[in-house]
Amino acid sequence: MSLRLQIIVIVCIAFLILYILKSVSKKKMDFKFGLGWLLISVIIMVFAIWPKLLAKMSKLLGIADPVNMLFFFAILLLIMVVFSLSKALTKEQDMTKKLAQELAILRKDSWEYSNNKKTENNNNNSALDTTIEQEEK
């Protein structure tokens, strides 16, 4: 990796880290997701600063080419992200379903309450009308 490319990667990752921290602090990103992205950013930063570390790790793991190891770990990371997002989506769907059911119950109770009030008002008005008619006679 050339020095110019290393500097570009380091600067981009530094901006990414700042953006992640800003997003987490403004509650635009959940802390657990922000922590994962920060970890990934730091790992990329380490490999950008010491590119020979990637070659030594791939040789240690028995992977012929460092790029293959990079792709392998990137694919594993993507699988973990998809799994994590799938779990979060399932949880959100369950919460949405529960809220929709509770809203339906509340609307039904409100409708029944308003109908009972109308019936009571009609009964009270008819009783009042009857009383007024009797007094007029």
Side-chain angles (χ1 to χ4, degrees), residues 31-83:
F31 178 75
K32 65 181 176 182
F33 293 120
L35 193 61
W37 287 115
L38 281 175
L39 179 67
I40 293 165
S41 300
V42 168
I43 291 170
I44 293 172
M45 180 81 79
V46 167
F47 286 137
I49 294 172
W50 296 289
K52 294 186 182 200
L53 181 64
L54 185 64
K56 288 181 182 179
M57 285 182 61
S58 65
K59 191 177 284 188
L60 182 71
L61 294 173
I63 299 173
D65 195 11
V67 175
N68 291 342
M69 187 180 93
L70 195 60
F71 282 126
F72 174 71
F73 284 122
I75 290 170
L76 285 179
L77 173 74
L78 290 174
I79 290 171
M80 289 187 321
V81 168
V82 168
F83 180 72

Side-chain angles (χ1 to χ4, degrees), residues 77-122:
L77 173 74
L78 290 174
I79 290 171
M80 289 187 321
V81 168
V82 168
F83 180 72
S84 173
L85 291 175
S86 296
K87 281 178 37 179
L89 179 64
T90 301
K91 183 179 177 182
E92 293 295 326
Q93 285 177 336
D94 291 342
M95 288 175 54
T96 302
K97 181 179 176 181
K98 183 178 178 182
L99 285 172
Q101 291 170 344
E102 288 177 3
L103 179 62
I105 291 169
L106 288 172
R107 282 185 178 169
K108 180 181 177 265
D109 290 346
S110 173
W111 182 79
E112 287 175 354
Y113 179 76
S114 66
N115 279 345
N116 287 339
K117 280 293 188 182
K118 287 178 186 176
T119 305
E120 286 177 15
N121 285 340
N122 288 341

Side-chain angles (χ1 to χ4, degrees), residues 21-32:
L21 291 173
K22 182 180 174 185
S23 296
V24 169
S25 70
K26 290 188 174 187
K27 305 286 184 194
K28 290 184 178 181
M29 181 185 292
D30 194 30
F31 178 75
K32 65 181 176 182

